[in-house]
Amino acid sequence: DAHEWILRMLEIMEDSEITDAFDGTFSVTVAFPDCSHINRHEEKFRSLSVDIPEGGKDFAHALHNIGMPEEVESTCDTCKDNCRKRAVKSMVITKWPRHLIVHWKRFHNNGRKISTRVTTPLAFQHYELIGMVNHAGASNTSGHYTACVRSSDRNWWLCNDSKTASIEAKHALKASERAY
């Protein structure tokens, strides 16, 4: 799929300055209530996989929810007993990438698509939306991908197989509500 493709392409180009432009960093904290230890480490990311927010929430709300505390099972680095224990994991973005790739989690584990629209701005903090991939179809096993991209002259284009068509920014913004 499109998300896997871009990540694989960046992986192949690993040692270039290009990949550095897509690298961000999380500070990860894992707290173990049973032993009272807290383990911390840094984790790189090349894209943010974001849950589709419920109830008409927008892009900013979805990004705010990244790294919120969640219950997990993990081994405690301090105890070094290799036993999986209950823990609470949370993450904070400590280094934002120069170019941010957002991957909306549009599919349930059973492959069924989540069609909820998410309001996505053309600009967010110091980022500008320059493209999105859209999926038309009901599941992850069928459908059709298209893309909307902004060219260097700031015009928007709809790319559909071998055809391209100029579109207005408002149509790109509308398409971004169902971006993959």
Side-chain angles (χ1 to χ4, degrees), residues 9 48 56 78 81 90 97 107 114 134 159 175 180:
M9 184 185 74
L48 293 178
T78 308
D81 57 7
S90 59
F107 298 102
I114 301 168
N134 297 302
C159 303
Y180 170 68

Side-chain angles (χ1 to χ4, degrees), residues 144 158-164:
H144 181 70
L158 171 63
C159 303
N160 186 352
D161 293 334
S162 62
K163 298 177 183 117
T164 59

Side-chain angles (χ1 to χ4, degrees), residues 44-101:
K44 283 175 75 171
F45 67 89
R46 287 227 166 106
S47 72
L48 293 178
S49 288
V50 181
D51 290 318
I52 301 292
E54 295 178 15
K57 301 289 185 181
D58 63 7
F59 177 75
H61 184 267
L63 281 184
H64 174 75
N65 285 337
I66 290 177
M68 294 299 279
E70 64 176 317
E71 289 193 19
V72 298
E73 281 194 10
S74 185
T75 56
C76 177
D77 296 342
T78 308
C79 290
K80 298 185 189 301
D81 57 7
N82 290 325
C83 293
R84 294 188 70 73
K85 307 174 187 183
R86 248 180 353 103
V88 176
K89 177 182 176 181
S90 59
M91 302 185 309
V92 174
I93 297 173
T94 53
K95 177 187 172 267
W96 287 84
R98 193 171 31 212
H99 302 289
L100 179 63
I101 298 172

Side-chain angles (χ1 to χ4, degrees), residues 30-39 76 78-79 85:
V30 183
F32 296 87
D34 294 346
C35 64
S36 300
H37 292 135
I38 298 174
N39 299 156
C76 177
T78 308
C79 290
K85 307 174 187 183

Side-chain angles (χ1 to χ4, degrees), residues 109-145:
N109 289 340
N110 64 7
R112 207 176 76 242
K113 187 172 178 179
I114 301 168
S115 296
T116 306
R117 290 181 176 273
V118 181
T119 303
T120 305
L122 290 177
F124 177 78
Q125 293 180 0
H126 64 279
Y127 296 104
E128 286 188 65
L129 184 63
I130 60 167
M132 81 276 314
V133 174
N134 297 302
H135 176 268
S139 75
N140 62 356
T141 59
S142 66
H144 181 70
Y145 287 99

